[in-house]
Amino acid sequence: MKIQKLIFAGLVALLAAGCGGNTIPDPDADAGTMVDSGDDGITDGMNDGGLGMGEEFGDSMDQMDELTMIIYFDFDQSDLRAEYSDLLQRHASRLAGDSRAQIRLEGHADERGSREYNIGLGERRSQAVRRLLLIQGASANQISTVSFGEERPAAFGSDESAYELNRRVEIKYTN
Amino acid sequence: MKDLLVRWLIVPALLLAYAAAANAQYDVIITDFAGKRAPVAIVPFGWEGQDAAEPFDVDDVISADLYRSGRFAPTPEDGMLQKPTASVDIDFDDWLILKVDAVVIGKVIQTGDNAYSVQFQAFDVHTREQLVGYRMPASRGTMRRVAHRAADMIYEKLTGIPGVFGTKVAYVTAKGTETDRTYTLVVSDADGENQFTIMESSDPIMSPAWSPDSRELAYVSFENNVSTVFVQTLRSGNRIKVSSRPGINGAPSFSPDGRKLVLTLGGIDGNLDINVLDLATRQVTRLTTNRSIDTEGTWSPDGRSIYFTSDRSGGPQVYRVGVDGGTPERVTFEGSYNARPRLSPDGSKLALVHLSRGDYRVAVLDLRSKDLLVVSEGMQDESPSFAPNSDSLIYATSYGGDGVLEMVSADGVYRQRLTSRQGDIREPVWSPFPRY
């Protein structure tokens, strides 16, 4: 489980880094809850994946003090994957610790199906994130939601590799 | 008339690609998928005036209109054995040789500096009788509309169905990259001419809807990262923000009397429900309260009920609720995904997006027989909109990676693709009949 979580965190951080502007410094980085401290087994595992994977992991280590801003979803789902629990806890803590902080949750869907219904699916995802953040200590007045449905895809294309990048909630700190 | 219709059915299918008027804005490349075209002859119109030539090629527009309907194959001009401009000069035997069912002749006559008279007559080649004849005043600026009107009259005489060549279509385009996109809301003639961008934004625009008098469009805009419903007057360009509540403001559709909009509102907790907004009083009435997604409301032509999409049973299905509320009644049962309902103006049919063996297709549900007919053949077909004659639909599909528009007859027989070079083109909505 640790390995999976670590790999995933690395990938997400990479995606965020690649997109630019999707991450912000995390004041709680010292807590280090996102990634376990250096574990040889894990590092070895990554290296087994090839040289390229090893380098990518190194990049992700540089992103450790930043919070991931994009949460992905399975097809036709608004359930939050377990792997995001730490990340969302950290966003909630950040909001709870700074009452002036504000976020906008931007829900998105892949292109399949009708457009306004997809607005509904994107909103359902935003609300799933919102509810968890509220439970974990954020205040209602710190969070607004919007759904872009399929109107603002992160990746063009009509295949699953594009769809899985498009089914997402982006967390935008507006203050 | 019956005879004509029956004859058309035995004409062999033609598979043609045809570029309509050279400056057509969609770059209309028409691809026939099915259906048989009846041969008709639109003879080049005569010209009587001081100038060297007529100011506008009326017969060319009529010919392109009839071709674009999918039901007619205009005879090429160079194949004509004669080019009469007066009825006395028509030799029907010549047209029988060409196996033409109907022949249209006409003239443009100059009556003043910028004043013309456009006249036309259509004849049944077999009975040798006039089907329709009409004379209309025109200026250089109205000549195109006059030509569409002539095509509408000819089409109605030949098919028994009112023509929609004089109508307009509104649609949304998106151009650019994932991170830098431009969205436009465009109104054009149904043939793609006279394109007019009424709104442009770097944020998404969606869900355009015509007012019943064709003077206004309602739409959703995401300027400043919030969803807002606007109603914009086409002539002036002025727009009014009619709904900008917290959460989702979406899916507007005008009531038949034009006084109300059905909208989807999500509220702060994101529970999408069907609401009716009185445009004069700004009072909002909530029609559904279910915790599911209720959206994509549209009025029945009689104004008494609203059809909408809801996933209260699991996947999206179409429901109907009275305008005064009450318990919604489920309308669709075939398949796991039926969404975005739109009624035909005659109230007899419902167009929707239907998941058919893994593909999202446009389907037409006959509300009396309950038969569901899939009328499109793509993988991502969406946003069907009926023509005001209830006989045709326009919808968005994907072709070569871009969103393009297709038109299809409600029986699924006649279908054409309108190719564009405008990037992604989507969400077409057919205007009501024009006011002549």
Side-chain angles (χ1 to χ4, degrees):
Chain A
M1 281 312 294
K2 271 183 185 171
I3 293 176
Q4 283 178 356
K5 191 183 284 182
L6 184 54
I7 291 169
F8 193 87
L11 286 174
V12 171
L14 259 175
L15 278 169
C19 294
N22 285 319
T23 57
I24 59 162
D26 175 18
D28 298 333
D30 290 346
T33 52
M34 192 170 168
V35 181
D36 290 317
S37 56
D39 180 320
D40 289 342
I42 293 168
T43 307
D44 289 343
M46 296 303 290
N47 285 338
D48 285 346
L51 183 59
M53 290 290 278
E55 286 177 355
E56 286 176 0
F57 184 71
D59 285 346
S60 76
M61 297 297 281
D62 293 336
Q63 302 289 328
M64 274 184 57
D65 60 350
E66 298 186 358
L67 275 185
T68 300
M69 293 295 157
I70 306 181
I71 293 172
Y72 296 95
F73 292 80
D74 292 334
F75 172 61
D76 209 21
Q77 292 297 317
S78 58
D79 297 339
L80 295 167
R81 297 181 197 158
E83 66 216 32
Y84 292 115
S85 59
D86 285 352
L87 175 70
L88 289 171
Q89 177 61 65
R90 283 158 55 111
H91 280 292
S93 301
R94 185 181 151 82
L95 290 168
D98 178 3
S99 60
R100 291 164 308 168
Q102 302 237 315
I103 58 168
R104 181 175 65 240
L105 300 173
E106 300 181 348
H108 299 267
D110 68 41
E111 68 177 14
R112 285 174 287 182
S114 98
R115 290 177 179 274
E116 284 281 2
Y117 181 68
N118 283 341
I119 291 284
L121 293 180
E123 179 70 4
R124 206 173 251 168
R125 289 174 180 144
S126 294
Q127 291 289 339
V129 174
R130 175 174 174 265
R131 276 194 299 275
L132 192 71
L133 295 176
L134 292 178
I135 289 166
Q136 295 181 333
S139 300
N141 60 15
Q142 292 179 290
I143 306 172
S144 66
T145 62
V146 65
S147 174
F148 291 106
E150 63 179 280
E151 309 303 317
R152 208 178 246 174
F156 288 162
S158 297
D159 51 35
E160 185 50 40
S161 63
Y163 296 159
E164 65 187 16
L165 292 174
N166 292 335
R167 291 188 300 264
R168 69 199 193 278
V169 169
E170 297 193 17
I171 302 172
K172 299 268 174 81
Y173 278 80
T174 53
N175 190 25
Chain B
M1 270 320 303
K2 267 254 151 52
D3 284 356
L4 265 182
L5 284 169
V6 170
R7 265 196 301 277
W8 294 344
L9 296 179
I10 56 169
V11 174
L14 294 167
L15 289 167
L16 300 169
Y18 176 87
N23 53 343
Q25 297 288 339
Y26 293 133
D27 276 340
V28 182
I29 307 297
I30 298 171
T31 310
D32 277 0
F33 296 91
K36 297 162 176 60
R37 291 175 174 272
V40 294
I42 317 298
V43 181
F45 278 21
W47 163 241
E48 294 176 10
Q50 293 111 31
D51 301 333
E54 68 217 73
F56 185 83
D57 203 343
V58 173
D59 53 275
D60 194 49
V61 168
I62 295 173
S63 190
D65 281 347
L66 293 179
Y67 185 85
R68 198 160 18 82
S69 76
R71 287 173 161 88
F72 296 97
T75 304
E77 190 184 323
D78 55 14
M80 293 179 184
L81 301 174
Q82 60 161 186
K83 294 177 187 173
T85 59
S87 58
V88 291
D89 297 329
I90 299 177
D91 184 343
F92 286 105
D93 292 331
D94 277 357
W95 299 106
L96 277 173
I97 291 168
L98 294 178
K99 297 187 170 23
V100 168
D101 287 326
V103 58
V104 176
I105 62 166
K107 268 183 202 168
V108 178
I109 301 159
Q110 189 162 17
T111 55
D113 182 27
N114 181 20
Y116 305 87
S117 175
V118 175
Q119 63 177 55
F120 72 91
Q121 291 165 285
F123 294 88
D124 181 331
V125 171
H126 305 277
T127 64
R128 307 185 173 209
E129 283 172 3
Q130 179 174 319
L131 296 166
V132 58
Y134 213 74
R135 181 181 295 138
M136 289 173 277
S139 65
R140 281 186 285 274
T142 63
M143 199 81 74
R144 176 180 291 280
R145 273 191 289 155
V146 165
H148 286 315
R149 191 178 177 197
D152 280 339
M153 294 162 95
I154 294 164
Y155 183 84
E156 180 163 9
K157 263 303 173 213
L158 294 177
T159 65
I161 302 162
V164 289
F165 306 120
T167 57
K168 291 181 178 297
V169 172
Y171 54 89
V172 175
T173 72
K175 279 174 255 187
T177 63
E178 286 93 333
T179 50
D180 181 15
R181 279 185 117 181
T182 302
Y183 301 82
T184 63
L185 177 55
V186 180
V187 173
S188 78
D189 293 353
D191 62 359
E193 292 288 338
N194 289 326
Q195 222 183 85
F196 197 76
T197 297
I198 70 154
M199 155 72 180
E200 185 173 314
S201 176
S202 56
D203 296 310
I205 302 168
M206 62 186 296
S207 302
W210 289 94
S211 66
D213 63 6
S214 304
R215 292 194 168 103
E216 298 168 321
L217 276 179
Y219 58 88
V220 180
S221 171
F222 285 84
E223 294 152 61
N224 304 315
N225 294 305
V226 294
S227 60
T228 305
V229 176
F230 289 97
V231 171
Q232 182 164 330
T233 304
L234 295 180
R235 184 157 291 182
S236 67
N238 293 336
R239 64 178 193 173
I240 302 168
K241 194 183 277 190
V242 298
S243 186
S244 55
R245 291 163 182 250
I248 287 171
N249 300 269
S253 175
F254 278 93
S255 61
D257 65 8
R259 292 180 183 162
K260 294 172 180 169
L261 278 182
V262 60
L263 297 173
T264 298
L265 299 177
I268 195 163
D269 294 322
N271 179 18
L272 280 68
D273 279 312
I274 301 297
N275 291 262
V276 171
L277 169 71
D278 185 309
L279 288 166
T281 66
R282 291 302 165 89
Q283 193 180 342
V284 171
T285 309
R286 187 171 174 181
L287 288 190
T288 67
T289 55
N290 197 285
R291 289 185 57 80
S292 64
I293 295 172
D294 294 342
T295 187
E296 303 177 335
T298 189
W299 298 75
S300 64
D302 65 11
R304 291 207 288 243
S305 50
I306 286 167
Y307 288 73
F308 64 99
T309 307
S310 175
D311 60 4
R312 58 189 62 202
S313 66
Q317 295 290 342
V318 176
Y319 291 75
R320 182 179 64 183
V321 66
V323 287
D324 300 319
T327 306
E329 169 197 5
R330 185 165 164 179
V331 175
T332 54
F333 294 92
E334 192 173 329
S336 62
Y337 191 112
N338 292 292
R340 232 305 295 255
R342 286 294 182 273
L343 273 291
S344 61
D346 65 9
S348 70
K349 296 179 283 276
L350 191 68
L352 43 83
V353 175
H354 173 74
L355 183 61
S356 172
R357 279 174 253 149
D359 294 322
Y360 294 89
R361 299 263 169 91
V362 172
V364 175
L365 177 69
D366 185 309
L367 289 173
R368 284 182 211 106
S369 70
K370 310 294 181 199
D371 289 339
L372 186 79
L373 179 69
V374 175
V375 297
S376 74
E377 292 187 345
M379 292 166 63
Q380 296 282 353
D381 303 341
E382 59 187 18
S383 307
S385 170
F386 271 101
N389 65 5
S390 297
D391 186 63
S392 306
L393 299 124
I394 191 166
Y395 59 92
T397 184
S398 184
Y399 181 69
D402 269 337
V404 299
L405 305 183
E406 288 184 358
M407 289 183 182
V408 66
S409 56
D411 59 9
V413 173
Y414 297 96
R415 188 149 42 84
Q416 291 108 35
R417 180 180 302 134
L418 309 176
T419 309
S420 132
R421 288 191 200 135
Q422 300 176 64
D424 218 27
I425 174 166
R426 76 279 282 272
E427 297 202 87
V429 262
W430 217 314
S431 79
F433 278 119
R435 298 176 308 277
Y436 285 124

